[in-house]
Amino acid sequence: MSTPRKAPTMADVARLAGVSPMTVSRAFKRDASVSDATRSAILEAADSLGYVFDSTASNLRSQRTDFVAVTIPSINNANFADTVRGLSEGLKERGLQILLGYTDYDIQEEERLVEQLLRRRPEAIVVTGGRQTPRTRRLLENAGIPVIETWDLPDNPVGHVVGFSNAAAVRSMVDHFVSVGITRIAFIGGDADRDTRGTDRRAGFIAAMQAHGLDPDRLIAAGTPPISMREGADAMGRLLDTLPDTQAVICVSDLSAFGALTECQRRGVNVPGQIAVAGFGDYEIAGICVPSLTTINPLPREIGKRAAELILDVLDGTQAGPATIALEPILMRRQSSP
C-alpha cells in the first residue's frame, strides 16, 4: 500500500512561480494588486503541482465565506435547475459559490435547512417562495445578510424579491381560452398544503373563472407535489370520466400536462379538437411532444440571473432598501390549444 503524497503548499507554488507566498494568496483572491501576467504564472505553477487554495484561514480573518445559500423544492425540476444555473452564472465572476439544499416541498424541512445554512454564515440566502414557518421567517429576518425570495411575489416579504405572480400567470391562460370561445375549463393540481405556488395557480384559476362568470369548480386533485406524469394521466382520466363536456384543462405543471396528453391519446380523445390542454413551466418536453404543449414560461433562468445581480448590488452597497423585481411570465401558444 503506497504512502499518500504530501499535499503541495502555498510556499511550494511561490517557489515555483518565483514570487512570495503573500503574492500567491493575493492572486487566488483576485487582488487587483497582482498583475495578469503574475497571476497567470502563479495559476500555472499551482496547476502543475496540483495545488488547491485553502481559503478557510483567509475567510476567518476577513469574516467572508464566499458562498450563497440556496433552497429549492426539488433537485430534479428543470425550472428550479435553470434558476440555480442563472444564479450560479451571475455569481461566479465574483468567486461566489452556491451551497444548495432542497426542501421536497416541505416547509418544516425548509426551516431545518435554513437554520443549518445560516450557521455557516453565507454571504446571502435565496429561498424559493414567499411562505415560511414563523420560525423560518424569524431566522431569515435576523440573519443579518441579504435574503432573496424567488418564484413568488409575497404580500409581506422578508427582504428582497425576484419573482412573479403564479395566480396572475394562470389567469392569463384562462383569459386566453375564454378569448377563443372556450368556457368549460378545468384545473388539475396537487396537494394545496405542500405546494404554495401550485396553490396560487389554483387560486388564480378560480378567480379568473369567477371574473368571467364561469363555473370555477372543475378542480381535479392529482396527488402530492411534485405531480408526476402518471398522476397527471390519472387525473385526466378522472376528468374525462366525470366531466366529459370539459373543453380545456389547465395543469399545474408541464409534467402533469404531458401525462394528461398521453391519457387523451390512450383514449382516442383529440387534442385540441375535443379538449385543449395547457401546462405550466415551458419544460423542454412541452416543445417536442406531439401535439406540442401550450404552457406558461416563468423565466426561471432570468429569475436566477436577476437574483444574482441583486445580491451583488446589496453586497456592493449600491442597493440600500428592499427591492422587488417582478417578472412577467410568457404564455406560449402551441398545438395543444386553439
Side-chain angles (χ1 to χ4, degrees):
M1 183 174 180
S2 60
T3 302
R5 295 182 180 180
K6 181 182 177 182
T9 66
M10 187 180 295
D12 295 331
V13 176
R15 279 193 294 272
L16 184 58
V19 298
S20 69
M22 181 61 72
T23 303
V24 174
S25 177
R26 288 173 177 162
F28 275 96
K29 289 187 287 186
R30 299 182 179 273
D31 193 308
S33 66
V34 179
S35 70
D36 290 342
T38 300
R39 180 175 287 106
S40 178
I42 290 169
L43 295 179
E44 184 177 342
D47 186 59
S48 68
L49 292 172
Y51 172 75
V52 176
F53 179 61
D54 181 1
S55 63
T56 304
S58 174
N59 288 341
L60 286 173
R61 288 192 297 270
S62 66
Q63 299 297 303
R64 289 183 60 87
T65 56
D66 291 335
F67 77 86
V68 170
V70 181
T71 67
I72 58 173
S74 172
I75 57 175
N76 60 356
N77 181 302
N79 278 170
F80 296 133
D82 280 345
T83 294
V84 172
R85 183 176 296 111
L87 185 63
S88 179
E89 290 170 349
L91 296 174
K92 68 181 180 181
E93 292 301 320
R94 291 288 193 87
L96 293 171
Q97 303 297 320
I98 287 175
L99 183 60
L100 185 66
Y102 90 100
T103 66
D104 195 26
Y105 294 88
D106 185 337
I107 61 173
Q108 298 298 329
E109 176 64 9
E110 181 187 48
E111 179 182 306
R112 187 187 71 81
L113 282 172
V114 166
E115 181 177 17
Q116 286 194 338
L117 292 167
L118 291 179
R119 286 176 182 174
R120 289 162 172 78
R121 303 308 305 165
E123 305 296 325
I125 184 166
V126 178
V127 295
T128 304
R131 300 181 194 174
Q132 302 89 21
T133 66
R135 184 167 182 268
T136 300
R137 186 176 179 91
R138 289 196 301 272
L139 289 170
L140 294 172
E141 288 174 336
N142 296 307
I145 58 174
V147 176
I148 318 293
E149 294 173 276
T150 61
W151 276 85
D152 204 349
L153 291 179
D155 293 332
N156 185 26
V158 175
H160 307 281
V161 176
V162 181
F164 62 94
S165 170
N166 284 272
V170 170
R171 285 199 298 269
S172 72
M173 186 68 78
V174 172
D175 292 344
H176 160 62
F177 282 139
V178 173
S179 73
V180 295
I182 292 175
T183 57
R184 296 189 296 276
I185 309 168
F187 182 86
I188 289 176
D191 181 351
D193 292 330
R194 281 177 60 89
D195 182 9
T196 59
R197 286 159 299 282
T199 301
D200 287 345
R201 292 168 199 169
R202 183 178 182 273
F205 168 80
I206 293 171
M209 294 294 285
Q210 291 174 334
H212 287 289
L214 302 174
D215 176 13
D217 295 327
R218 294 172 184 257
L219 305 170
I220 306 295
T224 301
I227 307 303
S228 68
M229 290 181 278
R230 166 54 60 191
E231 289 168 327
D234 291 344
M236 188 66 180
R238 282 183 276 120
L239 173 64
L240 294 172
D241 290 339
T242 59
L243 296 165
D245 64 334
T246 300
Q247 297 171 296
V249 59
I250 300 172
C251 300
V252 73
S253 69
D254 281 354
L255 293 184
S256 55
F258 179 76
L261 278 176
T262 59
E263 183 64 18
C264 289
Q265 292 173 346
R266 189 176 295 113
R267 295 183 178 218
V269 175
N270 181 268
V271 177
Q274 292 173 261
I275 187 169
V277 178
F280 195 106
D282 199 21
Y283 294 2
E284 183 179 17
I285 196 172
I288 63 174
C289 63
V290 179
S292 56
L293 184 63
T294 291
T295 186
I296 298 286
N297 179 354
L299 308 174
R301 196 163 184 171
E302 184 68 14
I303 291 172
K305 290 173 63 177
R306 298 295 291 274
E309 292 170 1
L310 186 53
I311 288 170
L312 296 181
D313 287 344
V314 175
L315 294 179
D316 289 343
T318 58
Q319 176 64 49
T324 294
I325 299 173
L327 303 179
E328 291 290 338
I330 302 169
L331 194 155
M332 311 293 293
R333 294 179 59 180
R334 296 198 178 103
Q335 296 168 345
S336 68
S337 73

PDB file of all heavy atoms in Angstrom, residues 83-104:
ATOM      1  N   THR A  83     -33.043  28.088 -12.628  1.00  0.00           N
ATOM      2  CA  THR A  83     -32.865  29.220 -11.720  1.00  0.00           C
ATOM      3  C   THR A  83     -31.510  29.148 -11.032  1.00  0.00           C
ATOM      4  O   THR A  83     -30.789  30.153 -10.941  1.00  0.00           O
ATOM      5  CB  THR A  83     -33.994  29.243 -10.669  1.00  0.00           C
ATOM      6  OG1 THR A  83     -35.238  29.508 -11.317  1.00  0.00           O
ATOM      7  CG2 THR A  83     -33.748  30.322  -9.628  1.00  0.00           C
ATOM      8  N   VAL A  84     -31.139  27.964 -10.565  1.00  0.00           N
ATOM      9  CA  VAL A  84     -29.829  27.792  -9.920  1.00  0.00           C
ATOM     10  C   VAL A  84     -28.713  28.063 -10.918  1.00  0.00           C
ATOM     11  O   VAL A  84     -27.701  28.679 -10.583  1.00  0.00           O
ATOM     12  CB  VAL A  84     -29.705  26.375  -9.317  1.00  0.00           C
ATOM     13  CG1 VAL A  84     -28.292  26.126  -8.821  1.00  0.00           C
ATOM     14  CG2 VAL A  84     -30.697  26.196  -8.175  1.00  0.00           C
ATOM     15  N   ARG A  85     -28.900  27.640 -12.172  1.00  0.00           N
ATOM     16  CA  ARG A  85     -27.885  27.886 -13.198  1.00  0.00           C
ATOM     17  C   ARG A  85     -27.709  29.385 -13.441  1.00  0.00           C
ATOM     18  O   ARG A  85     -26.586  29.894 -13.491  1.00  0.00           O
ATOM     19  CB  ARG A  85     -28.283  27.188 -14.502  1.00  0.00           C
ATOM     20  CG  ARG A  85     -27.231  27.335 -15.612  1.00  0.00           C
ATOM     21  CD  ARG A  85     -27.629  26.550 -16.855  1.00  0.00           C
ATOM     22  NE  ARG A  85     -27.675  25.124 -16.585  1.00  0.00           N
ATOM     23  CZ  ARG A  85     -28.793  24.396 -16.556  1.00  0.00           C
ATOM     24  NH1 ARG A  85     -29.960  24.970 -16.794  1.00  0.00           N
ATOM     25  NH2 ARG A  85     -28.744  23.117 -16.306  1.00  0.00           N
ATOM     26  N   GLY A  86     -28.827  30.107 -13.572  1.00  0.00           N
ATOM     27  CA  GLY A  86     -28.732  31.548 -13.769  1.00  0.00           C
ATOM     28  C   GLY A  86     -28.086  32.243 -12.587  1.00  0.00           C
ATOM     29  O   GLY A  86     -27.294  33.177 -12.751  1.00  0.00           O
ATOM     30  N   LEU A  87     -28.403  31.799 -11.390  1.00  0.00           N
ATOM     31  CA  LEU A  87     -27.816  32.361 -10.180  1.00  0.00           C
ATOM     32  C   LEU A  87     -26.315  32.100 -10.139  1.00  0.00           C
ATOM     33  O   LEU A  87     -25.513  33.003  -9.855  1.00  0.00           O
ATOM     34  CB  LEU A  87     -28.503  31.747  -8.963  1.00  0.00           C
ATOM     35  CG  LEU A  87     -28.126  32.271  -7.583  1.00  0.00           C
ATOM     36  CD1 LEU A  87     -28.482  33.739  -7.432  1.00  0.00           C
ATOM     37  CD2 LEU A  87     -28.830  31.445  -6.509  1.00  0.00           C
ATOM     38  N   SER A  88     -25.934  30.867 -10.418  1.00  0.00           N
ATOM     39  CA  SER A  88     -24.514  30.499 -10.404  1.00  0.00           C
ATOM     40  C   SER A  88     -23.715  31.291 -11.436  1.00  0.00           C
ATOM     41  O   SER A  88     -22.618  31.776 -11.151  1.00  0.00           O
ATOM     42  CB  SER A  88     -24.373  28.999 -10.662  1.00  0.00           C
ATOM     43  OG  SER A  88     -23.024  28.607 -10.677  1.00  0.00           O
ATOM     44  N   GLU A  89     -24.283  31.441 -12.631  1.00  0.00           N
ATOM     45  CA  GLU A  89     -23.601  32.205 -13.678  1.00  0.00           C
ATOM     46  C   GLU A  89     -23.395  33.651 -13.265  1.00  0.00           C
ATOM     47  O   GLU A  89     -22.356  34.248 -13.553  1.00  0.00           O
ATOM     48  CB  GLU A  89     -24.408  32.143 -14.970  1.00  0.00           C
ATOM     49  CG  GLU A  89     -24.407  30.784 -15.636  1.00  0.00           C
ATOM     50  CD  GLU A  89     -25.407  30.688 -16.781  1.00  0.00           C
ATOM     51  OE1 GLU A  89     -26.252  31.603 -16.927  1.00  0.00           O
ATOM     52  OE2 GLU A  89     -25.350  29.693 -17.523  1.00  0.00           O
ATOM     53  N   GLY A  90     -24.376  34.214 -12.571  1.00  0.00           N
ATOM     54  CA  GLY A  90     -24.269  35.600 -12.172  1.00  0.00           C
ATOM     55  C   GLY A  90     -23.308  35.842 -11.025  1.00  0.00           C
ATOM     56  O   GLY A  90     -22.797  36.957 -10.865  1.00  0.00           O
ATOM     57  N   LEU A  91     -23.051  34.804 -10.231  1.00  0.00           N
ATOM     58  CA  LEU A  91     -22.194  34.968  -9.052  1.00  0.00           C
ATOM     59  C   LEU A  91     -20.746  34.559  -9.277  1.00  0.00           C
ATOM     60  O   LEU A  91     -19.856  34.988  -8.546  1.00  0.00           O
ATOM     61  CB  LEU A  91     -22.761  34.135  -7.886  1.00  0.00           C
ATOM     62  CG  LEU A  91     -24.137  34.536  -7.346  1.00  0.00           C
ATOM     63  CD1 LEU A  91     -24.584  33.515  -6.304  1.00  0.00           C
ATOM     64  CD2 LEU A  91     -24.108  35.930  -6.747  1.00  0.00           C
ATOM     65  N   LYS A  92     -20.500  33.727 -10.284  1.00  0.00           N
ATOM     66  CA  LYS A  92     -19.170  33.119 -10.390  1.00  0.00           C
ATOM     67  C   LYS A  92     -18.071  34.120 -10.695  1.00  0.00           C
ATOM     68  O   LYS A  92     -16.914  33.900 -10.306  1.00  0.00           O
ATOM     69  CB  LYS A  92     -19.176  31.997 -11.429  1.00  0.00           C
ATOM     70  CG  LYS A  92     -19.372  32.455 -12.866  1.00  0.00           C
ATOM     71  CD  LYS A  92     -19.387  31.241 -13.797  1.00  0.00           C
ATOM     72  CE  LYS A  92     -19.585  31.653 -15.247  1.00  0.00           C
ATOM     73  NZ  LYS A  92     -19.617  30.473 -16.148  1.00  0.00           N
ATOM     74  N   GLU A  93     -18.389  35.228 -11.377  1.00  0.00           N
ATOM     75  CA  GLU A  93     -17.362  36.207 -11.679  1.00  0.00           C
ATOM     76  C   GLU A  93     -16.806  36.854 -10.414  1.00  0.00           C
ATOM     77  O   GLU A  93     -15.695  37.375 -10.412  1.00  0.00           O
ATOM     78  CB  GLU A  93     -17.911  37.279 -12.619  1.00  0.00           C
ATOM     79  CG  GLU A  93     -18.236  36.776 -14.017  1.00  0.00           C
ATOM     80  CD  GLU A  93     -17.014  36.181 -14.712  1.00  0.00           C
ATOM     81  OE1 GLU A  93     -15.916  36.757 -14.575  1.00  0.00           O
ATOM     82  OE2 GLU A  93     -17.164  35.129 -15.361  1.00  0.00           O
ATOM     83  N   ARG A  94     -17.576  36.826  -9.332  1.00  0.00           N
ATOM     84  CA  ARG A  94     -17.110  37.335  -8.050  1.00  0.00           C
ATOM     85  C   ARG A  94     -16.502  36.243  -7.181  1.00  0.00           C
ATOM     86  O   ARG A  94     -16.159  36.490  -6.026  1.00  0.00           O
ATOM     87  CB  ARG A  94     -18.268  37.973  -7.292  1.00  0.00           C
ATOM     88  CG  ARG A  94     -18.767  39.255  -7.914  1.00  0.00           C
ATOM     89  CD  ARG A  94     -17.759  40.388  -7.716  1.00  0.00           C
ATOM     90  NE  ARG A  94     -18.381  41.647  -8.040  1.00  0.00           N
ATOM     91  CZ  ARG A  94     -19.069  42.379  -7.189  1.00  0.00           C
ATOM     92  NH1 ARG A  94     -19.207  41.989  -5.931  1.00  0.00           N
ATOM     93  NH2 ARG A  94     -19.622  43.505  -7.562  1.00  0.00           N
ATOM     94  N   GLY A  95     -16.426  35.054  -7.717  1.00  0.00           N
ATOM     95  CA  GLY A  95     -15.874  33.952  -6.933  1.00  0.00           C
ATOM     96  C   GLY A  95     -16.817  33.426  -5.880  1.00  0.00           C
ATOM     97  O   GLY A  95     -16.402  32.711  -4.966  1.00  0.00           O
ATOM     98  N   LEU A  96     -18.114  33.750  -5.991  1.00  0.00           N
ATOM     99  CA  LEU A  96     -19.103  33.255  -5.037  1.00  0.00           C
ATOM    100  C   LEU A  96     -19.655  31.920  -5.521  1.00  0.00           C
ATOM    101  O   LEU A  96     -20.002  31.764  -6.690  1.00  0.00           O
ATOM    102  CB  LEU A  96     -20.237  34.259  -4.878  1.00  0.00           C
ATOM    103  CG  LEU A  96     -19.890  35.596  -4.217  1.00  0.00           C
ATOM    104  CD1 LEU A  96     -21.058  36.564  -4.330  1.00  0.00           C
ATOM    105  CD2 LEU A  96     -19.515  35.387  -2.757  1.00  0.00           C
ATOM    106  N   GLN A  97     -19.738  30.970  -4.610  1.00  0.00           N
ATOM    107  CA  GLN A  97     -20.254  29.649  -4.924  1.00  0.00           C
ATOM    108  C   GLN A  97     -21.609  29.428  -4.246  1.00  0.00           C
ATOM    109  O   GLN A  97     -21.958  30.123  -3.296  1.00  0.00           O
ATOM    110  CB  GLN A  97     -19.268  28.567  -4.458  1.00  0.00           C
ATOM    111  CG  GLN A  97     -17.884  28.700  -5.042  1.00  0.00           C
ATOM    112  CD  GLN A  97     -17.871  28.549  -6.549  1.00  0.00           C
ATOM    113  OE1 GLN A  97     -18.580  27.703  -7.092  1.00  0.00           O
ATOM    114  NE2 GLN A  97     -17.079  29.354  -7.235  1.00  0.00           N
ATOM    115  N   ILE A  98     -22.343  28.430  -4.725  1.00  0.00           N
ATOM    116  CA  ILE A  98     -23.665  28.133  -4.189  1.00  0.00           C
ATOM    117  C   ILE A  98     -23.602  26.905  -3.291  1.00  0.00           C
ATOM    118  O   ILE A  98     -22.992  25.889  -3.645  1.00  0.00           O
ATOM    119  CB  ILE A  98     -24.665  27.904  -5.336  1.00  0.00           C
ATOM    120  CG1 ILE A  98     -24.994  29.240  -6.018  1.00  0.00           C
ATOM    121  CG2 ILE A  98     -25.940  27.246  -4.834  1.00  0.00           C
ATOM    122  CD1 ILE A  98     -25.873  29.107  -7.230  1.00  0.00           C
ATOM    123  N   LEU A  99     -24.227  27.001  -2.136  1.00  0.00           N
ATOM    124  CA  LEU A  99     -24.449  25.856  -1.260  1.00  0.00           C
ATOM    125  C   LEU A  99     -25.943  25.569  -1.310  1.00  0.00           C
ATOM    126  O   LEU A  99     -26.755  26.391  -0.893  1.00  0.00           O
ATOM    127  CB  LEU A  99     -24.007  26.162   0.171  1.00  0.00           C
ATOM    128  CG  LEU A  99     -24.121  25.005   1.171  1.00  0.00           C
ATOM    129  CD1 LEU A  99     -23.259  23.824   0.729  1.00  0.00           C
ATOM    130  CD2 LEU A  99     -23.706  25.464   2.563  1.00  0.00           C
ATOM    131  N   LEU A 100     -26.302  24.397  -1.837  1.00  0.00           N
ATOM    132  CA  LEU A 100     -27.683  24.114  -2.205  1.00  0.00           C
ATOM    133  C   LEU A 100     -28.328  23.108  -1.258  1.00  0.00           C
ATOM    134  O   LEU A 100     -27.725  22.110  -0.880  1.00  0.00           O
ATOM    135  CB  LEU A 100     -27.718  23.561  -3.634  1.00  0.00           C
ATOM    136  CG  LEU A 100     -29.071  23.301  -4.280  1.00  0.00           C
ATOM    137  CD1 LEU A 100     -29.816  24.602  -4.493  1.00  0.00           C
ATOM    138  CD2 LEU A 100     -28.873  22.574  -5.614  1.00  0.00           C
ATOM    139  N   GLY A 101     -29.568  23.398  -0.888  1.00  0.00           N
ATOM    140  CA  GLY A 101     -30.364  22.441  -0.136  1.00  0.00           C
ATOM    141  C   GLY A 101     -31.744  22.343  -0.747  1.00  0.00           C
ATOM    142  O   GLY A 101     -32.251  23.324  -1.281  1.00  0.00           O
ATOM    143  N   TYR A 102     -32.364  21.159  -0.689  1.00  0.00           N
ATOM    144  CA  TYR A 102     -33.702  21.059  -1.263  1.00  0.00           C
ATOM    145  C   TYR A 102     -34.702  20.616  -0.208  1.00  0.00           C
ATOM    146  O   TYR A 102     -34.417  19.800   0.664  1.00  0.00           O
ATOM    147  CB  TYR A 102     -33.704  20.173  -2.496  1.00  0.00           C
ATOM    148  CG  TYR A 102     -33.959  18.705  -2.305  1.00  0.00           C
ATOM    149  CD1 TYR A 102     -35.213  18.170  -2.558  1.00  0.00           C
ATOM    150  CD2 TYR A 102     -32.929  17.849  -1.911  1.00  0.00           C
ATOM    151  CE1 TYR A 102     -35.450  16.820  -2.408  1.00  0.00           C
ATOM    152  CE2 TYR A 102     -33.150  16.498  -1.761  1.00  0.00           C
ATOM    153  CZ  TYR A 102     -34.415  15.986  -2.001  1.00  0.00           C
ATOM    154  OH  TYR A 102     -34.654  14.645  -1.850  1.00  0.00           O
ATOM    155  N   THR A 103     -35.890  21.211  -0.292  1.00  0.00           N
ATOM    156  CA  THR A 103     -36.880  21.092   0.769  1.00  0.00           C
ATOM    157  C   THR A 103     -37.924  20.014   0.529  1.00  0.00           C
ATOM    158  O   THR A 103     -38.684  19.705   1.438  1.00  0.00           O
ATOM    159  CB  THR A 103     -37.627  22.433   0.939  1.00  0.00           C
ATOM    160  OG1 THR A 103     -38.408  22.692  -0.242  1.00  0.00           O
ATOM    161  CG2 THR A 103     -36.646  23.578   1.161  1.00  0.00           C
ATOM    162  N   ASP A 104     -38.000  19.473  -0.668  1.00  0.00           N
ATOM    163  CA  ASP A 104     -39.007  18.478  -1.026  1.00  0.00           C
ATOM    164  C   ASP A 104     -40.417  19.011  -0.753  1.00  0.00           C
ATOM    165  O   ASP A 104     -41.285  18.288  -0.280  1.00  0.00           O
ATOM    166  CB  ASP A 104     -38.768  17.170  -0.263  1.00  0.00           C
ATOM    167  CG  ASP A 104     -39.558  16.003  -0.855  1.00  0.00           C
ATOM    168  OD1 ASP A 104     -39.871  16.061  -2.061  1.00  0.00           O
ATOM    169  OD2 ASP A 104     -39.874  15.062  -0.100  1.00  0.00           O
TER     170      ASP A 104
END
